Amino acid sequence: MSQPSPRLRTLAVLPAVVLAGMAVLTGCSDPGAQAASGDSTTAAANGVVYNSSPEQNRIRAEKDAALVAEVPAAIAKDGKLTVGTTAGSVPLSFYATDNKTPVGSELDLAQLVADKLGLELDVQVTAWENWPLKTQSGDLEVVFSNVGINADRVKLFDFSTYRAAYMAFEAKSTSSYDIKGSDDISGLKISVGSGTNQEKILLAWNKELVAKGKAPAELQYYSSDADTILALGSGRTDVNITPYPSAVYRTNTRDDLKIVGKVNAGWPNETLVAATTLKDNGLAPAITDALNAVIKDGSYGKVLARWGLSEEALPAAETINEANYKAGAK
């Protein structure tokens, strides 16, 4: 059995000032890289056959002249839509079996948007902590990487919504956990990605537990999903909190894990996953219209079904910015 990652650290409670600082620009994505299986396809219990090969044969959309005209000239001039992604979680965004080609549902949706806007898809993989600065600098024109909307981000970015945003608690299939709130994690060892929305939730829940005089959860940080799952299987960790699509994937492709809880990524409010663009650069409305076009023509639904994410589909995309953002609203 492998030993814990040298980057593992443990904490029980953080001071309120640290908690508040971590709330800024926290994310939905799990930044730990998760390698796909060496096999190019994986048949899952939910009926999905996941394709992790570099040859994706992506679902495509037709260019729409009216949408092409909506793209700001500064972005359209090179003929490319430069998309940032973190390649961190199956089936959202991850490296194919060649260990160099980024694939997944996020990139399939980005492809549909690029097609509708008449632009070539240019995918750039970046670390989770780097996408905000790269978007502000113009290196990235849009980010498709399970980014959730929150009050801090709307001050810097505009959003085009495209998927529901949930986190799942996963545990060994033999466990009896049923996690609905802070009381249910008291005393548990929980693995979580650093700088993510799921970490923000756990820190807030620990604060609630301490206020009640109950034992907080012990948060554990690993350098990759592989290390996290090994720790879960060996009993070093009781529960893992991760983006819901990743937990669904694992639940349906292996028999030793199950989902034992689900929480909105914006807890205590609600949020959505959205394509993220620089504030006021004019690209978000075009992306929103492109998303609504692929929702209408059915290609959006086909992409989500292809990756087992149909239950997270939205009936329509919406542009969210600082002016119209309301915390807690879908």
Side-chain angles (χ1 to χ4, degrees):
M1 187 65 65
S2 66
Q3 296 300 309
S5 163
R7 291 177 60 183
L8 171 65
R9 59 188 175 90
T10 303
L11 59 84
V13 186
L14 287 182
V17 65
V18 177
L19 175 63
M22 285 187 169
V24 179
L25 290 179
T26 52
C28 282
S29 182
D30 186 340
Q34 179 179 22
S37 165
D39 297 328
S40 61
T41 59
T42 303
N46 59 355
V48 176
V49 178
Y50 293 95
N51 175 13
S52 55
S53 72
E55 295 75 31
Q56 286 292 294
N57 297 317
R58 286 189 174 118
I59 296 162
R60 304 297 295 268
E62 295 294 325
K63 180 170 70 174
D64 185 314
L67 296 178
V68 170
E70 291 185 27
V71 180
I75 292 168
K77 65 181 180 181
D78 66 354
K80 296 179 180 179
L81 183 66
T82 304
V83 174
T85 195
T86 55
S89 289
V90 180
L92 298 173
S93 173
F94 62 102
Y95 283 114
T97 50
D98 64 356
N99 291 318
K100 64 180 182 181
T101 303
V103 299
S105 63
E106 302 291 79
L107 301 181
D108 281 11
L109 292 173
Q111 180 70 72
L112 292 181
V113 168
D115 287 345
K116 282 293 182 186
L117 299 180
L119 299 171
E120 176 187 349
L121 180 65
D122 175 24
V123 177
Q124 301 291 324
V125 176
T126 185
W128 172 260
E129 61 269 20
N130 291 338
W131 72 256
L133 287 177
K134 287 192 172 185
T135 304
Q136 289 178 286
S137 70
D139 290 343
L140 302 175
E141 292 169 339
V142 58
V143 177
F144 277 80
S145 200
N146 205 43
V147 179
I149 306 167
N150 64 34
D152 296 301
R153 288 202 180 110
V154 294
K155 298 174 184 177
L156 302 173
F157 306 103
D158 294 335
F159 299 90
S160 301
T161 60
Y162 63 84
R163 191 163 48 76
Y166 292 100
M167 297 300 168
F169 292 91
E170 60 183 343
K172 293 169 72 171
S173 57
T174 55
S175 70
S176 59
Y177 303 122
D178 182 16
I179 298 176
K180 294 183 172 65
S182 60
D183 288 346
D184 303 316
I185 68 167
S186 179
L188 296 183
K189 294 177 290 184
I190 304 180
S191 54
V192 62
S194 178
T196 59
N197 265 12
Q198 49 266 44
E199 180 190 44
K200 177 184 175 183
I201 292 167
L202 293 183
L203 290 171
W205 284 10
N206 267 354
K207 189 175 180 180
E208 287 184 0
L209 287 169
V210 171
K212 296 175 183 177
K214 294 185 177 182
E218 180 182 290
L219 308 193
Q220 299 184 338
Y221 300 78
Y222 292 88
S223 61
S224 70
D225 273 4
D227 286 345
T228 298
I229 299 307
L230 280 174
L232 190 59
S234 69
R236 295 197 304 270
T237 295
D238 299 313
V239 175
N240 178 41
I241 183 172
T242 189
Y244 187 69
S246 298
V248 169
Y249 169 79
R250 283 192 284 268
T251 296
N252 284 287
T253 55
R254 50 195 298 164
D255 58 10
D256 59 337
L257 299 176
K258 67 178 181 180
I259 293 173
V260 296
K262 182 178 179 181
V263 63
N264 193 282
W267 183 94
N269 301 311
E270 294 185 338
T271 192
L272 295 171
V273 171
T276 307
T277 55
L278 186 62
K279 183 179 179 180
D280 296 333
N281 74 350
L283 182 56
I287 291 176
T288 299
D289 288 346
L291 285 165
N292 279 320
V294 297
I295 289 171
K296 184 176 179 179
D297 71 22
S299 53
Y300 164 85
K302 290 177 181 177
V303 165
L304 294 189
R306 180 184 183 220
W307 295 102
L309 302 178
S310 296
E311 67 178 294
E312 296 199 339
L314 300 182
E318 182 181 1
T319 298
I320 303 294
N321 53 37
E322 187 174 20
N324 67 7
Y325 173 75
K326 295 179 181 179
K330 284 189 176 181

